[in-house]
Amino acid sequence: MKLTHVAVLASVAVACSTVSAPSTNTVEEEEELAQQQSALVTQGPTTTATPIGLALEYKNGVGLPLKVRAGQTFYLEQIDLSTSVFSKVDEGLAGLKREGDFKNADWNKLQLEESDFQQLTDSEGRLTRSRFYRNAKWMTQPSTFIIEQVDDRGIPLSAPIVADAGKDGKRKTGDHFWVRRFRGIQWTRGCASRTDCSGAYEHEQEANIELRNSMDQKSTFTLHPRATKLRMRWTQNATQVYETPIEQIANPPFDYGFSIDVETLTPPGPGGYYDAGQSVSFRFTLKDGSGNRLHPQGSIPSYNDVIFGPNEAGIQYYRAFFDNTWVFWRRKHRERTLIAHLMGPEQNIQPMRSVIPLDELLGQDVQNVGVLERDGVFDQWKVFPTTDGVFGGAFDPNHAGWDVPGSDVYTFKLPANAPAGTYRMTMKGRRTYYGEDIAYTRRVDIQVGSTTKTTATLTTGGCQNCHTGGGAFAEVLHRNPDRATCVGCHAPLAVEHDAPIHSRVHFIHSRSNRFDGDVQKCTTCHLNEGGTKFVSKAACLSCHKSYPADHVTKFGPITNMYVGGGEESFGRCTENCHTEPHPGSGF
């Protein structure tokens, strides 16, 4: 399976999605960070008695078949459930009420929340409009998922696992999942402009459920030797039965679990540090929980091998070409980018606002994301197997870049004027293997210009007040408890304007009905008023859905639901306006 033309891609996204903001760490946060990082590093071999987080996926009423280790013990970690219907006319989501496995769900009170246009056009210059819907009763009301093991005759073999999905509103202590997102989506493909979709050639309607990050890892079940399917029922769609075929393998080729080892190949100089302008090389190794290599030393699989197989080890690469993602609205956790970045010095770490152009993504392996002169911080990153191979290959009709294996060695070049201090190399990835879908992040520090360690002093905090248990940063998204590294990946991209950390944090928390704090009170997250002083379209319109009429006259209409507009969204509005604290900010 290969694409014949991918200029119609929804989004060429590379950012490492997150809902957290970088912050000044208190002593308590530093202690918690050390404990969480230690727990990630000390992963070990698993047995059939080791509880493994199980990820289930259903498409159009059918469960994705799974190979699993025979007799394995699991807890329910993730459910992705979606169904799609297509129409030639724009009927909103009416088709889902007539056909498909969601037709008997309660669609009353469905509302359109917001809409946007994908930034890239198709090969004929046409746009795709995305509309996002909420508030149907099946989306808002409490619901429960019941899963039982059955044999090849459909006979239950054990007591069911019951997972309470809660409701769309304030999170309850009894909710099984940290993330709960129920919504409807419509894609209209072939719009002539942002105001004219009359000639669209296709309307896709999707009902989508995302549940992930278990808050109850103690409710486990062990596979019965005769189990051949997992049967699932959902109380908001009681007449529909979902089944996942399972094949139990006695001796899988690899263990569960996932880790990334990183070795610094370039030694520091005689003073114990690296010099400005020097190139520094690293070698990484992807491993399972038993320490088995997932690839031979020296190389990693090509993009085609991972996406289309064979891929027995479960390595993952960026895949939003085939499974569209939108921050908050759809499956950002499934983007699965393997990426590394080097940033610093730590004392300068701050959000970056320079936009990375498309031609760099398509033509360069290492991206200059943060430049000292324009961003105040240095940052370079690269995607694996190669950045230009993954993204340039998508725009090449022959996809030649997708056939090229990658190297496990990569090199970043420090700028000639690199300030002295501690620089952070962070690498993150994801593995899906025998029912487990797991992320991992590794951080390695190097010293530049001095052996004196420096630390980041950023402007937000208190995230751990909400992000606990299954929602802790060592569990969600990249399983990265070090929030100060987030800005290294999260810079504006010409094809993904919502990538910056401030945009994502604002957007997710302002749209979520399950955020426990006061979204209008800046002091909920911001430690001081200085952290709110850089006023831009992106900062304001990642929370607000509109601005005053005189702003529309002066600065144009809102054309992007995440940041308000285009590349101008990341520039400072003015130091003469918005000089008073935000109303209700707490400052």
Side-chain angles (χ1 to χ4, degrees):
M1 174 184 176
K2 292 187 180 181
L3 301 183
T4 56
H5 200 294
V6 288
V8 299
L9 295 179
S11 166
V12 181
V14 132
C16 2
S17 318
T18 183
V19 299
S20 61
S23 76
T24 300
N25 287 337
T26 64
V27 173
E28 292 79 7
E29 286 180 309
E30 287 290 354
E31 291 176 352
E32 181 184 0
L33 173 61
Q35 292 173 357
Q36 291 175 342
Q37 287 179 324
S38 176
L40 290 175
V41 170
T42 57
Q43 293 186 92
T46 70
T47 69
T48 55
T50 304
I52 300 297
L54 181 65
L56 299 175
E57 181 180 358
Y58 303 89
K59 180 65 177 176
N60 294 324
V62 179
L64 181 70
L66 289 177
K67 288 183 178 180
V68 291
R69 183 159 63 185
Q72 186 63 49
T73 300
F74 290 102
Y75 61 89
L76 187 59
E77 169 70 2
Q78 182 173 302
I79 297 175
D80 281 302
L81 195 159
S82 66
T83 194
S84 296
V85 300
F86 296 84
S87 62
K88 294 295 184 182
V89 298
D90 185 354
E91 57 176 4
L93 300 184
L96 291 166
K97 304 174 187 179
R98 296 192 308 267
E99 58 182 293
D101 51 296
F102 275 74
K103 66 181 179 182
N104 292 323
D106 191 342
W107 287 89
N108 284 314
K109 298 189 176 181
L110 180 71
Q111 291 181 331
L112 174 65
E113 280 289 301
E114 53 194 336
S115 62
D116 201 12
F117 281 84
Q118 294 170 358
Q119 289 171 232
L120 296 183
T121 62
D122 65 16
S123 58
E124 298 180 3
R126 295 176 295 184
L127 292 163
T128 296
R129 182 183 66 199
S130 306
R131 286 175 168 171
F132 304 96
Y133 295 79
R134 297 173 81 171
N135 298 323
K137 285 193 172 182
W138 69 261
M139 303 177 186
T140 60
Q141 296 304 302
S143 65
T144 301
F145 289 81
I146 303 100
I147 298 174
E148 56 187 353
Q149 303 179 56
V150 299
D151 63 16
D152 53 9
R153 296 174 296 171
I155 297 176
L157 300 171
S158 62
I161 293 294
V162 179
D164 185 354
K167 63 182 296 185
D168 191 26
K170 191 171 181 63
R171 184 180 290 104
K172 305 193 307 297
T173 56
D175 288 357
H176 186 96
F177 301 96
W178 172 259
V179 173
R180 178 199 187 278
R181 296 176 184 168
F182 291 31
R183 66 283 312 273
I185 306 171
Q186 183 208 51
W187 295 284
T188 297
R189 300 184 175 97
C191 298
S193 70
R194 290 177 176 271
T195 58
D196 181 14
C197 288
S198 60
Y201 60 83
E202 181 180 77
H203 303 270
E204 180 181 356
Q205 307 165 38
E206 181 185 56
N208 193 290
I209 288 176
E210 299 175 23
L211 295 164
R212 57 183 179 274
N213 300 112
S214 175
M215 302 292 286
D216 179 17
Q217 298 183 8
K218 294 182 179 179
S219 294
T220 62
F221 64 96
T222 300
L223 288 176
H224 191 283
R226 296 203 310 275
T228 59
K229 294 179 184 177
L230 298 177
R231 176 188 293 158
M232 184 178 78
R233 290 182 171 87
W234 170 41
T235 56
Q236 282 292 332
N237 196 13
T239 60
Q240 179 69 37
V241 177
Y242 298 92
E243 290 189 337
T244 299
I246 57 173
E247 179 183 359
Q248 299 197 48
I249 307 298
N251 295 297
F254 297 96
D255 193 4
Y256 286 105
F258 180 46
S259 66
I260 303 174
D261 284 353
V262 175
E263 175 189 4
T264 307
L265 297 181
T266 306
Y273 56 83
Y274 298 90
D275 294 323
Q278 185 173 356
S279 294
V280 184
S281 296
F282 304 86
R283 170 178 281 131
F284 70 91
T285 306
L286 308 179
K287 295 183 176 181
D288 67 13
S290 291
N292 300 310
R293 300 182 61 96
L294 302 180
H295 57 94
Q297 182 170 319
S299 67
I300 56 175
S302 71
Y303 187 80
N304 276 337
D305 284 343
V306 163
I307 300 299
F308 305 116
N311 182 24
E312 286 190 341
I315 294 171
Q316 291 296 307
Y317 295 150
Y318 176 85
R319 58 184 304 115
F321 304 135
F322 318 102
D323 191 359
N324 289 336
T325 62
W326 281 266
V327 170
F328 181 74
W329 286 115
R330 191 180 192 274
R331 293 189 169 183
K332 205 63 175 163
H333 64 294
R334 295 170 62 89
E335 208 167 68
R336 297 172 175 168
T337 312
L338 184 63
I339 186 172
H341 71 91
L342 176 67
M343 67 181 302
E346 286 205 21
Q347 69 271 20
N348 287 8
I349 287 177
Q350 59 183 303
M352 288 168 285
R353 297 177 174 87
S354 300
V355 180
I356 311 306
L358 176 61
D359 59 355
E360 289 189 13
L361 285 174
L362 302 183
Q364 297 179 193
D365 187 25
V366 176
Q367 311 294 315
N368 294 303
V369 180
V371 176
L372 286 164
E373 292 78 7
R374 71 188 187 197
D375 298 299
V377 64
F378 162 77
D379 186 52
Q380 287 185 340
W381 55 241
K382 83 169 250 77
V383 173
F384 299 92
T386 65
T387 309
D388 49 349
V390 170
F391 297 101
F395 285 83
D396 170 16
N398 297 316
H399 312 302
W402 288 0
D403 274 329
V404 179
S407 172
D408 60 3
V409 173
Y410 55 99
T411 301
F412 295 124
K413 183 177 177 59
L414 295 164
N417 58 342
T422 303
Y423 286 62
R424 298 180 175 188
M425 197 298 301
T426 307
M427 185 170 182
K428 72 98 177 176
R430 201 169 191 98
R431 182 188 185 213
T432 60
Y433 184 73
Y434 278 50
E436 182 181 48
D437 186 344
I438 186 172
Y440 189 88
T441 299
R442 171 72 74 180
R443 169 187 157 190
V444 173
D445 290 350
I446 64 171
Q447 291 299 125
V448 176
S450 170
T451 57
T452 302
K453 293 185 179 296
T454 57
T455 58
T457 302
L458 301 178
T459 59
T460 61
C463 303
Q464 76 282 359
N465 294 335
C466 296
H467 284 273
T468 59
F473 293 141
E475 297 289 337
V476 297
L477 297 165
H478 317 311
R479 301 180 75 224
N480 180 13
D482 184 5
R483 291 173 290 137
T485 61
C486 298
V487 296
C489 281
H490 289 276
L493 304 175
V495 293
E496 191 178 46
H497 287 152
D498 63 278
I501 193 67
H502 65 271
S503 171
R504 298 215 164 162
V505 172
H506 285 173
F507 192 91
I508 291 168
H509 288 76
S510 65
R511 265 59 172 185
S512 174
N513 293 332
R514 293 161 65 82
F515 175 48
D516 296 327
D518 182 353
V519 72
Q520 297 187 31
K521 191 174 182 179
C522 302
T523 54
T524 302
C525 300
H526 288 271
L527 300 178
N528 55 67
E529 189 180 353
T532 66
K533 285 297 188 179
F534 193 102
V535 179
S536 64
K537 269 189 179 182
C540 297
L541 294 173
S542 54
C543 258
H544 296 278
K545 295 184 179 181
S546 63
Y547 54 16
D550 65 327
H551 282 48
V552 175
T553 301
K554 293 178 181 178
F555 310 117
I558 296 172
T559 57
N560 180 294
M561 70 178 180
Y562 291 110
V563 299
E567 294 188 10
E568 82 287 349
S569 299
F570 306 103
R572 196 172 199 138
C573 292
T574 174
E575 293 188 12
N576 299 320
C577 298
H578 303 288
T579 57
E580 297 298 320
H582 191 289
S585 68
F587 291 119

